[in-house]
Amino acid sequence: MNLQNRSKRNHITYTLRGVICRPAVMGCILLACLFLIPSFHTLKVHAEEADSLSVTLTSSGGQDTSKLKDSSTESTVAFNSGEVLTVKAEEPMQGLYIKWRNCPNTEWILKFGGEERKCGTNGFLHEYVELPEGVTECEIRFSEGISMCDLFAYGGGDLPGSVQRWDPPCDKADFLVFSTHADDEILFLGGVLVDYAGVEKLNVQLAYMTNYWNAAIIREHEKLDGIWECGVHNYPVIGPFPDEWAKTYDDAVKIYDPEEVRGFVTEQIRRFKPQVVVTQDLKGEYGHGGHEMLAQSVIYSVDNSMNDTVYPDSAAMYGVWDVPKTYLHLYPENTIHLDLHIPLEEFGGRTAIEVAADAYKKHVSQQWCWFYVSDDEDYDYSVADFGMYRTTVGADTGNDMMENLISYAEQDRIEKERLEEEKRQKEEQARLEAEKASEEASEKASEEAVIEKKEKTKKTGLTIVIVIVSVLVVLIAAFFAYVYVRRKKEEERRRKRRLERRRREREAGNNFTAERQSRTSAEKRSSSNGGGRKPSNRKRK
């Protein structure tokens, strides 16, 4: 057994040596690695697409919920206020994708795992709602009566591109695109949507003049599907005017009040403050009265939206705005031609003209019409041809509608960098001032320390002087005291000597007197005893 293992090991060793010693083989291995490594990297980067899960739908009102699974916006299920729709799946759901029949006019409640969330706040016709990880059952509670077309639940992974996750309308729009009807924005303006929303990722806001809420509601769904395909992710504004056929402009005036249309357009311009406004042909493309009314309203509004006396209500609400650039489809002056034949990475290699054509196919109800998406020279409604009606930033030198303009996102980035730089400069200035203050404080502290040292030295010197003077004073005082005491003692001695001398003199005088008195007494006695003896003639020395 050991011999067999050793033989295998030797065989492997010789094989490896043979491979290593052959440069050609090693080169092949290296090339294979170079090709395989990017493949592994791609596998890691691109997650699997989320699956549409099989769900069980149960309504508390007993409705047949099978229509919610047929992927058709023409079939609906109506729910009453207070009813509950329960959604169950065998696998965890990452979110629900709902298509309503009409835009929700009120909030609805999503309940899961003991938690509740308010939804429907944006009024989106197509609404995606995320769920926490691991949820397999949830409830939808309706606070008002509403109808639903479809409900899809998705598992883990990347959501399919067809799932529309709408952002609210723009705060500020780089482009404000006015379209009369659903599909006009694709047939005549689709190149603008693909280039500037799908590729450039600018803030592109759609505003439709008409709606279909009381007619072919399917067209409201189709318009969302179409512009989502073009890369537009900000939810469109839907105008208050119902769709009606107007063969000519005069017919349109009989249907729509031009003042109301101009007021609507002016309000959108003031609300979104667009850098570029784009709309349809002044001649109504093929003479459509509604198209012409919208185009005429747009040019009136861009000429007057900066005047607060024109439609003052919207001016008071949003302020005024002077649109920098305005383009009209097929306008013959200051023309530009969009290049829509460049393969686009953002759309899987499709060109802009192909994306717009695919977007128009989303308008299923209109495929019977003879219109189509094209930029051919011999096609009267080329989706690539526009003219600049008005500018406040100068003429174009190329075919870019954003020429001489800076997108709002770029402005925000520049402003953010400016603020960061300003903050950095302030911090640097504060740091320098702090260092300067610290240095000044240090210098001041040093100066104060020197002054304090001098003062201390001065005080010390003064103290020494005082001590020396005090000692001298004490010594002098002691000296004078000594002299004084000595003088007193000398005077005392002298006084005592004088007193002693006087005492002796007195004693001597007393002795002399006593001796004299004694001699006198003796002489008297002698004379009294001798009878007349003469006194001695000896003198007292």
Side-chain angles (χ1 to χ4, degrees), residues 494-509:
R494 289 177 182 175
R495 187 182 65 81
K496 287 181 177 181
R497 283 196 299 268
R498 285 196 301 271
L499 292 176
E500 182 65 23
R501 190 171 49 252
R502 290 176 183 173
R503 183 183 64 78
R504 289 177 180 175
E505 287 177 354
R506 282 197 300 270
E507 287 180 355

Side-chain angles (χ1 to χ4, degrees), residues 22 70 110 133 224 227 242 259 325 366 371 405 407 517:
R22 295 178 183 178
D70 62 5
L110 180 66
E133 186 176 352
L224 294 180
I227 63 176
E259 279 294 313
K325 298 175 81 173
Q366 302 303 300
F371 294 108
L405 297 172
S407 70
Q517 288 177 354

Side-chain angles (χ1 to χ4, degrees), residues 9 12 15 20 38 46 72 100 127 134 157 161 197 242 252 285 293 306 320 354 374 377 391 401 427 439 443 454 531:
R9 285 198 300 270
I12 293 170
T15 303
I20 293 170
H46 298 288
S72 172
W100 305 98
E127 184 172 10
E285 311 295 355
M293 173 167 282
M306 72 294 294
V320 297
E354 291 172 338
S374 176
E377 292 182 3
T391 178
M401 290 184 176
E427 290 176 349
E439 289 175 0
E443 290 176 0
K454 288 180 179 180

Side-chain angles (χ1 to χ4, degrees), residues 25 51 85 97 177 189 207 211 232 244 270 344 448 471:
V25 176
D51 292 327
L85 176 65
Y97 182 40
V177 180
L189 314 173
N211 66 73
V232 176
E244 295 190 39
R270 287 170 173 169
L344 304 173
E448 290 178 350
V471 171

Side-chain angles (χ1 to χ4, degrees), residues 191-458:
V192 174
L193 302 184
V194 176
D195 269 1
Y196 293 101
V199 178
E200 298 295 333
K201 308 299 182 187
L202 300 182
N203 298 334
V204 177
Q205 181 64 50
L206 264 293
Y208 293 90
M209 172 182 162
T210 61
N211 66 73
Y212 302 90
W213 300 124
N214 296 321
I217 293 181
I218 188 175
R219 299 200 65 186
E220 292 294 337
H221 296 278
E222 291 173 347
K223 72 170 57 164
L224 294 180
D225 295 340
I227 63 176
W228 183 267
E229 181 71 19
C230 290
V232 176
H233 288 171
N234 290 100
Y235 201 80
V237 172
I238 313 298
F241 309 100
D243 176 42
E244 295 190 39
W245 171 253
K247 186 176 181 180
T248 66
Y249 181 79
D250 290 338
D251 291 338
V253 170
K254 296 175 183 178
I255 299 171
Y256 307 112
D257 182 350
E259 279 294 313
E260 291 183 359
V261 177
R262 288 196 291 264
F264 167 75
V265 173
T266 302
E267 180 177 338
Q268 305 317 308
I269 289 173
R270 287 170 173 169
R271 173 185 176 183
F272 295 110
K273 297 177 173 49
Q275 302 201 69
V276 179
V277 164
V278 182
T279 195
Q280 296 179 241
D281 176 27
L282 285 173
K283 297 178 181 179
E285 311 295 355
Y286 49 90
H288 192 298
H291 297 177
E292 189 174 346
M293 173 167 282
L294 176 63
Q296 293 289 347
S297 298
V298 168
I299 65 171
Y300 174 86
S301 296
V302 297
D303 287 335
N304 293 277
S305 57
M306 72 294 294
N307 186 347
D308 61 3
T309 63
V310 177
Y311 303 109
D313 289 346
S314 63
M317 183 177 296
Y318 299 111
V320 297
W321 183 249
D322 191 359
V323 180
K325 298 175 81 173
T326 301
Y327 290 91
L328 306 177
H329 186 225
L330 304 179
Y331 191 64
E333 300 177 20
N334 308 308
T335 60
I336 67 169
H337 179 82
L338 302 177
D339 185 355
L340 305 179
H341 290 272
I342 301 172
L344 304 173
E345 182 182 353
E346 294 81 2
F347 292 95
R350 289 183 294 167
T351 64
I353 196 73
E354 291 172 338
V355 174
D358 290 342
Y360 180 60
K361 292 176 183 177
K362 301 293 183 180
H363 293 265
V364 178
S365 67
Q366 302 303 300
Q367 295 304 304
W368 60 270
C369 297
W370 61 269
F371 294 108
Y372 58 95
V373 175
S374 176
D375 63 348
D376 292 342
E377 292 182 3
D378 57 351
Y379 185 60
D380 291 337
Y381 314 109
S382 169
V383 74
D385 292 322
F386 296 85
M388 185 164 62
Y389 166 75
R390 182 176 182 274
T391 178
T392 64
V393 294
D396 291 333
T397 60
N399 291 309
D400 183 9
M401 290 184 176
M402 283 295 290
E403 184 176 354
N404 301 321
L405 297 172
I406 301 175
S407 70
Y408 280 120
E410 182 66 10
Q411 290 180 35
D412 291 342
R413 186 191 66 79
I414 293 171
E415 178 64 12
K416 182 180 179 181
E417 287 184 354
R418 186 191 68 79
L419 292 174
E420 288 177 351
E421 178 63 19
E422 186 177 284
K423 181 181 178 182
R424 188 193 66 77
Q425 289 180 356
K426 287 182 178 179
E427 290 176 349
E428 180 66 14
Q429 182 66 25
R431 185 185 66 79
L432 292 174
E433 289 178 354
E435 287 182 357
K436 183 178 179 182
S438 178
E439 289 175 0
E440 291 177 350
S442 179
E443 290 176 0
K444 185 177 180 181
S446 298
E447 291 176 358
E448 290 178 350
V450 170
I451 293 171
E452 184 179 356
K453 186 175 181 180
K454 288 180 179 180
E455 290 292 331
K456 189 175 181 181
T457 303
K458 185 177 179 181

